[in-house]
């Protein structure tokens, strides 16, 4: 397949380049950006020398659609709502890594993103690409709204509990932590080295745009879910997300039974690895890979379950899951091009 | 006052040295360690050259008690349970920075610390040194159990809520994060640079020895509190603790009213700084200082309050609070020697 | 003394605030910035709450000169060349932390800074404030050009060698490394967390504006010095500079004799600490303090000396040395307000 | 080919596992360690789950030699001097990643390593595996002494200069910097997180065991080389080495001509990438990959060349070059299994 990447100069964009190079069936045909048009991508990213010799092209949707089979959109929010509809109608596959097509209700999008939403009609065309739980829909999709990084870690961590009706639906508290690459390459005081290093911050308290995305999915799975508490923190590291998830259980469980449930739930999911009792993943265990590692604890003193879910925000939380979704759409082994050992240490 | 420091070669020990140098009324008379006896402290810690010229002495409690007015014990758990009783009976003041005298019930200590406890009788002699909330008792105390780092951040964050009966007592979930210096100077794979850097870990899930310490204090304040959920994470940084605290409120509140309550609660506490609405502290805001900075949010979608409390684990979480307690015992301004600007950036 | 700080919102500016609070004879009267005029400094820097309650004022040199005895200029290069002359003529003391008055030759300034220089006449009025080696001139000065961070570490490391004619003058190679706070608070891709963390970079190879500053001083000390090789690297840390200095010795020396020489050279310099043979300082040994720690090695296989000199770039490399110079000008103990234990770990 | 890895539980060992998984012609048959025999490797390294299911076996050289075609030795120094001879005589290929067979003179080894050397006879059997410059010998070798991490970065940076007789042979000064993973997984105060983070250190001044290794090779290339100055520093990061190399040129050169020379020298070396004038590599540009990126500057003020050479110490500096050497021995494309995009950011 021939692929184009729009927004290739961002961190998700170059991660697509890194991962696709290993993909036997996908070839990057063209790369696009709103800036630096004409320049080699390797001028901004010398680590890519010997791996990609394409020049950045402008974003001309007609021309792109003529030349490729699939387009990855790695643009900031507010861009693909404009561009994706033009691409879709030209009968090519589109995988949107931005948040523009994840929320089905335009009003909800506008409330949390503070930007103009795509129309309801367009939004309906997008299939939510949470690979492990939406595989059948993805298979037949031509337009994927790739999940957010936090929602991926969080939803994979919660799914077995909520689908098996084990927890009080409105007791969910998710305390999430992310490396700084999640904020992208746009410079700001909030990503200025001297302000972030040797520092730990909370941000967007009760205001993160991934809250409605998580709630929308949970509510589809179990319509008793109304609102969650979801907090985001910035960790002085580049890659990695941990979601620490707390919920009250409805009835008696044990750590063993829960871990068994998780193992069964993910037995056909090659990228989800469940830890044994008393073991919990750290973000580095999945560094550079498409894995989501999950550990589960139950505390009978409090009647609460604690789930720890980690991903690499740029891989399973962005470019990796996008390729996994393409694999599913192509009906090839979902591991194709993605079966990589995490980089440790 | 003449002071001795036992366990001076650990991180809390040298932080006492750093902070006491600025103290106009306290002089370090002798320093003690179970290893390197006879050596200059500056051999292990060259940053202290020009500031302390003492040699490490052995731990001879009789001799120590003869020569000083106050002893700081900065030893690992399991040591001061043996040594402190001998010092106390010699009529000097003792401030124990370890966990040995914080839990009143020896069985609880033995369950969580997996070490032999001091006797109930000895335990009763210790006053819990949470400076802001136990000032009267501290004033007349001669033996202080200095609070743990996590309990300090957590309890200062929760106190106004629980004392004013604003939250459902058993809805408390505390997601705590710490820099690595909290683990001390003892080398281990868990503090090995290449395993910690660019990594974020959870540890001791539902098993941290600070859980019963926090519960004991909360229960004293409000006997409806039974059990809390308390998780600890390791952040790739050296200093700093953040406790992100979640609880369900009992009745209608607003962020404004809560912040007002916090400001009132701490109006006579020079080391607690409350943020305005929408503002939350980061750990670096208190780096190297004795401050505890607190931010408060309320989410009416979920009916939950989120409190963010940060300290420097080695200062307010250890050596700083110990000196603050000494100041209170001496009935001098509690800021004496501690009124320092945090080191930023 | 009443002091004003111009450019207080930069990192050197707030470091002046941090350090001056401890100074018994200096009071910050007013703070000035070209932006955010009217705002409290604590809005940008909440770590300063309880320590400074001043609002930012515009930079009106006449008004400033009326109200204070000394002005610290912590502005980017190109600003004080315009402002300082106006302040000086009003008979107040000025300490300029920028590079504008360090180079005596306007053409050299313009070549390396690529900005318009102050006039030769104005440049002559400034005394170079390398405290340890220029004390007599500083004492009687009213206008100080405070040295750059790299030149401070480098010159203190080289001085005994070059002044005692021990090294081949043009064999000097200085490989310098700095934490990222040296780049200031201005955001850029070069200080973007994800590009700097877990990365080590060289920058401005043979082009750093501190090269002529170092050469000018060395040449004053020994006019055989023409050109040095001086490289600068960015270390993924916030504070700290190490200069690793290499030179060929002229005649037989030993490490012992060199260390003896360094000790003698700095015996009256309370902020320079010389290590024993085989011991070398790390940047953290001086963190947050005004120290310059120096280690010296001699390799008889190569006939080369290696000198390792470390400082905290924001303290001895900026705000601390500025205050040290003020102390010298005031003819009080140069340690006043600066005798602080480094923050370790 | 069937491979065994001895010393698999160290960082070079698991990096071999990570890289070999992508290798189409090499299969890891068995893994060996002196500790934890019988345990799954994934117990210590959960990031390897789904990638290797082997148990750790004891180090029985006869048994190993029976079952495999090639053995990688990723052991600490002092081990393979004992084991490798036994393996070699059983007619299998051995690639030794330790320093035991790099120095041809046993006395030199014993002086710098302070351990017993292998015999001269055994030492002679080993071919030094600097892939780019020793390819012909490697092709026909059955026993490879894989170069050290620092020598690899350094020698690739110096080779074109010294081979073309462009520099004064005894003017070489190499200021090298490494991430902490180079120190391995063995815990010590020198790799304790709180002592290394936000710190920059020099270590083993004039005493690093890689000095004679570099000198031996340089001397083979040009027998006027006697002694170099080579310093090693510890950077607060996990992976990456930069060697900043300084030398006096013998005659007139320009940066352009030097860069042209480097490009020509490495035109058949797929893992060496030369930067254009004014561009210099950072360690992150090669993170996780087998590249060595090199930048070159010439300063006509001083007559010195500055070469900047970066590698990932665990890949090109250890496991990657070992596999590259195996590829060369197998006479297949040397990029096989190693053509990976660096992980950025």
């Amino acid at each position: 397949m021939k692929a184009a990447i729009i927004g290739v100069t961002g961190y998700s964009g170059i991660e697509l380049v890194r991962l696709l190079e290993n993909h036997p069936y996908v070839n990057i045909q063209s790369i696009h950006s709103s800036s630096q048009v004409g320049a080699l991508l390797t001028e901004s990213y010398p680590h890519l020398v010997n791996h990609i010799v394409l020049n950045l092209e402008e974003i001309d949707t007609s021309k792109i659609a003529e030349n490729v089979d699939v387009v990855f959109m790695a643009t900031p929010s507010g861009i693909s709502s404009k561009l994706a509809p033009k691409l879709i109608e030209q009968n090519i596959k589109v995988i949107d890594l931005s948040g523009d097509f994840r929320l089905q209700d335009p009003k909800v999008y506008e409330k949390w993103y503070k930007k103009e939403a795509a129309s309801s009609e367009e939004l309906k065309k997008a299939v939510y690409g949470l690979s492990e739980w939406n595989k059948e829909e993805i298979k037949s999709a031509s337009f994927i709204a790739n999940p957010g990084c936090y929602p991926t870690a969080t939803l994979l961590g919660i799914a077995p509990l909520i689908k098996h009706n084990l927890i009080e639906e409105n007791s969910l508290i998710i305390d999430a932590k992310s490396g700084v690459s999640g904020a992208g390459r746009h410079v700001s005081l909030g990503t200025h080295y001297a302000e972030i290093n040797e520092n730990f911050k909370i941000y967007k308290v009760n205001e993160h745009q991934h809250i409605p995305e998580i709630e929308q999915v949970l509510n589809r799975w179990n319509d008793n879910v109304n609102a969650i508490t979801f907090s985001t923190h910035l960790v002085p590291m580049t890659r990695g997300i941990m979601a620490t998830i707390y919920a009250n259980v409805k009835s008696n469980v044990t750590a063993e039974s829960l871990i068994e449930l998780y193992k069964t739930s993910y037995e056909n999911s090659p990228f989800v690895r469940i830890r044994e009792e008393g073991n919990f993943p750290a973000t580095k265990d999945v560094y550079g890979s498409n894995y989501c590692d999950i550990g589960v604890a139950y505390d009978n003193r409090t009647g609460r379950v604690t789930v720890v879910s980690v991903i690499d925000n740029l891989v399973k939380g962005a470019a990796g899951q996008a390729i996994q979704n393409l694999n599913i759409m192509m009906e090839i082994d979902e591991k194709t091009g993605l079966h990589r050992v995490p980089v440790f240490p």
Side-chain angles (χ1 to χ4, degrees), chain A:
Chain A
M1 286 189 97
K2 291 183 284 186
I5 303 172
I6 300 180
V8 72
T9 57
Y11 290 149
S12 294
I14 56 161
E15 192 71 356
L16 282 164
V17 173
R18 179 173 81 90
L19 296 172
L20 284 174
E21 158 147 310
N22 263 33
H23 200 293
Y25 309 129
V26 181
N27 199 43
I28 301 173
Q29 194 74 4
S30 63
I31 54 177
H32 307 267
S33 169
S34 57
S35 63
Q36 305 170 49
V37 171
L40 280 168
L41 181 58
T42 48
E43 287 175 38
S44 317
Y45 288 111
H47 74 285
L48 290 174
V49 166
N50 286 10
H51 294 278
I52 189 163
V53 290
L54 298 174
N55 292 76
L56 290 162
E57 299 178 29
E58 60 179 348
I59 307 171
D60 176 335
T61 51
S62 317
K63 206 174 136 198
I64 293 170
E66 271 172 38
N67 291 305
V68 303
D69 305 304
V70 60
V71 174
F72 292 97
M73 305 212 52
T75 44
S77 61
I79 308 291
S80 59
S81 59
K82 308 285 182 285
L83 297 180
K86 296 183 198 168
L87 290 163
I88 298 159
E89 67 190 22
Q90 290 176 81
N91 230 11
I92 58 168
K93 292 190 190 303
V94 174
I95 300 178
D96 179 21
L97 282 76
S98 87
D100 280 10
F101 289 90
R102 295 180 197 147
L103 300 174
Q104 287 300 301
D105 183 341
K107 280 188 203 127
V108 174
Y109 179 90
E110 290 174 357
K111 175 185 166 194
W112 293 84
Y113 280 82
K114 315 211 184 300
K115 285 185 179 165
E116 196 190 345
S119 69
S120 276
E121 198 182 323
E122 295 294 347
L123 289 171
K124 275 191 200 107
K125 294 179 185 167
V127 167
Y128 189 71
L130 187 66
S131 315
E132 279 70 18
W133 291 102
N134 222 9
K135 201 165 289 182
E136 288 313 308
E137 276 196 76
I138 295 167
K139 261 185 199 167
S140 53
S142 59
F143 180 26
I144 299 286
N146 213 55
C149 49
Y150 284 123
T152 297
T154 302
L155 291 168
L156 292 177
I158 295 173
L161 297 176
I162 207 82
K163 292 200 162 224
H164 290 81
N165 201 21
L166 288 169
I167 54 170
E168 291 174 22
E169 290 84 0
N170 292 303
S171 71
L172 274 165
I173 294 178
I174 301 109
D175 190 283
K177 301 91 176 172
S178 176
V180 185
S181 64
R185 208 188 202 199
H186 179 73
V187 302
S188 74
L189 200 55
T191 53
H192 192 55
Y193 186 86
E195 309 266 324
I196 294 301
N197 177 46
E198 190 63 7
N199 198 359
F200 187 85
K201 288 188 158 181
I202 192 168
Y203 68 105
K204 289 195 183 177
V205 181
N206 296 325
E207 290 178 1
H208 200 287
Q209 69 276 11
H210 287 167
I211 293 174
E213 181 178 340
I214 297 168
E215 289 177 346
Q216 174 180 285
V217 177
L218 291 178
N219 187 269
R220 266 187 220 157
W221 289 346
N222 180 327
D223 58 16
N224 290 324
V225 177
N226 295 315
I228 58 168
T229 291
F230 177 80
S231 298
T232 48
H233 304 76
L234 209 54
V235 186
M237 63 184 191
T238 301
R239 286 172 180 245
I241 280 180
M242 178 183 285
T244 315
I245 300 161
Y246 305 96
N248 300 334
V249 299
K250 283 185 170 165
S251 54
N252 274 355
V253 297
T254 62
E256 296 93 317
S257 68
L258 289 173
I259 288 168
E260 198 48 45
L261 169 69
Y262 273 75
K263 287 189 175 176
T264 311
S265 299
Y266 289 112
E267 66 189 346
N268 296 317
S269 297
F271 292 119
V272 182
R273 303 186 294 194
I274 308 302
R275 292 298 173 88
E276 298 302 327
E277 193 181 348
N279 262 284
F280 299 89
T283 59
K284 195 113 201 215
D285 294 329
V286 299
Y287 205 85
S289 82
N290 200 48
Y291 287 111
C292 175
D293 282 9
I294 297 175
V296 185
Y298 174 67
D299 185 4
N300 53 23
R301 296 172 64 256
T302 58
R304 278 195 199 102
V305 61
T306 302
V307 181
V308 180
S309 172
V310 303
I311 60 168
D312 182 321
N313 55 302
L314 294 178
V315 190
K316 184 61 180 169
Q321 186 158 237
I323 295 169
Q324 186 181 358
N325 284 329
L326 180 62
N327 288 341
I328 295 170
M329 289 159 89
M330 292 168 73
E331 301 199 44
I332 59 174
D333 183 343
E334 65 189 298
K335 295 195 304 298
T336 309
L338 295 171
H339 188 64
R340 287 157 175 268
V341 179
V343 179
F344 185 96

